[in-house]
Amino acid sequence: MVEMGFAEIAAVATAVATIALVFVLWRTIKQLEASVKLSKVQTEFRFRPWIGPLNDIKKVEQSVNDKIQFDVSIKNFGELPAKSVVVKFKMDTKMLKRDVLQSNGVETFNLGPVLPNMEKHYWFFVEPELWKKAKIGTEKLFTILYFEYDGSVGKSGYGMISEYNPSTGNFVHRDMWTDDVRPA
């Protein structure tokens, strides 16, 4: 059997310790890499504006211009301000689809910036004759609303397609969706 001296044992122990240290450093670097990825996701999705409706579409009792006025309240539920919120709106007597937002007949209105926890309102108006028909159920009334907003990392959006239900007297949301952050 070969006898190892103190110097040989120390050299082997140093080699094993060096290998263990390299392994620990490699694992630490991998862990830091995962933390950087998580921080990026958190920055893009948690620390951003989150614009959405605060409640139902409500009829305003004192309408103006002989038209029936409705109010949609939105709020920034996020932790950062939305630099600019643009509302896209269309109303029809037929069911609407999301792609109608790309057409020419869509109304747009700039609500401006919305700070965290801030509320803003968007109003739309219905002609009295159409409202009477929708209220008694002889004509259907559909709306599409889309809130597009800028954040620190790009544009996001929230949309909803609603139908007026004469039996309940409320708008019922038929479709709701969010669009994730996309580069500005």
Side-chain angles (χ1 to χ4, degrees):
M1 209 162 150
V2 177
E3 286 187 33
M4 290 184 19
F6 181 71
E8 288 87 14
I9 293 174
V12 169
T14 302
V16 169
T18 303
I19 291 171
L21 182 62
V22 167
F23 179 73
V24 168
L25 286 174
W26 177 77
R27 293 277 298 162
T28 303
I29 289 171
K30 285 296 187 187
Q31 195 171 23
L32 287 173
E33 188 178 289
S35 294
V36 167
K37 285 181 185 176
L38 181 62
S39 294
K40 182 180 179 197
V41 168
Q42 188 174 28
T43 300
E44 289 178 357
F45 292 101
R46 180 172 177 235
F47 298 121
R48 70 181 190 110
W50 285 93
I51 303 294
L54 189 58
N55 48 34
D56 295 336
I57 298 172
K58 294 186 177 181
K59 183 177 178 286
V60 176
E61 294 305 319
Q62 298 295 325
S63 298
V64 294
N65 300 336
D66 297 329
K67 293 183 179 180
I68 312 305
Q69 182 177 353
F70 290 88
D71 176 68
V72 179
S73 301
I74 64 164
K75 181 177 179 178
N76 183 354
F77 296 95
E79 297 183 25
L80 292 178
K83 296 175 187 173
S84 174
V85 177
V86 175
V87 181
K88 295 181 180 182
F89 172 78
K90 184 162 177 75
M91 180 174 36
D92 205 334
T93 56
K94 304 183 296 268
M95 180 64 171
L96 296 163
K97 295 185 179 182
R98 294 180 188 186
D99 60 356
V100 76
L101 293 169
Q102 308 332 317
S103 67
N104 290 336
V106 176
E107 298 174 25
T108 60
F109 185 79
N110 189 340
L111 288 174
V114 181
L115 302 174
N117 294 313
M118 182 182 210
E119 297 175 20
K120 285 205 174 179
H121 298 267
Y122 175 74
W123 296 334
F124 67 89
F125 300 89
V126 179
E127 293 292 334
E129 192 61 36
L130 176 58
W131 176 243
K132 285 178 192 173
K133 291 178 181 177
K135 199 170 175 182
I136 61 173
T138 59
E139 189 80 67
K140 293 199 178 268
L141 180 60
F142 294 94
T143 63
I144 186 168
L145 280 158
Y146 186 76
F147 304 98
E148 183 176 74
Y149 52 96
D150 294 326
S152 59
V153 294
K155 289 188 179 288
S156 295
Y158 176 88
M160 61 185 179
I161 298 172
S162 305
E163 176 184 6
Y164 180 73
N165 184 337
S167 63
T168 62
N170 293 322
F171 279 87
V172 177
H173 302 313
R174 296 290 178 209
D175 187 16
M176 297 179 287
W177 70 96
T178 60
D179 290 327
D180 293 330
V181 174
R182 53 194 188 276

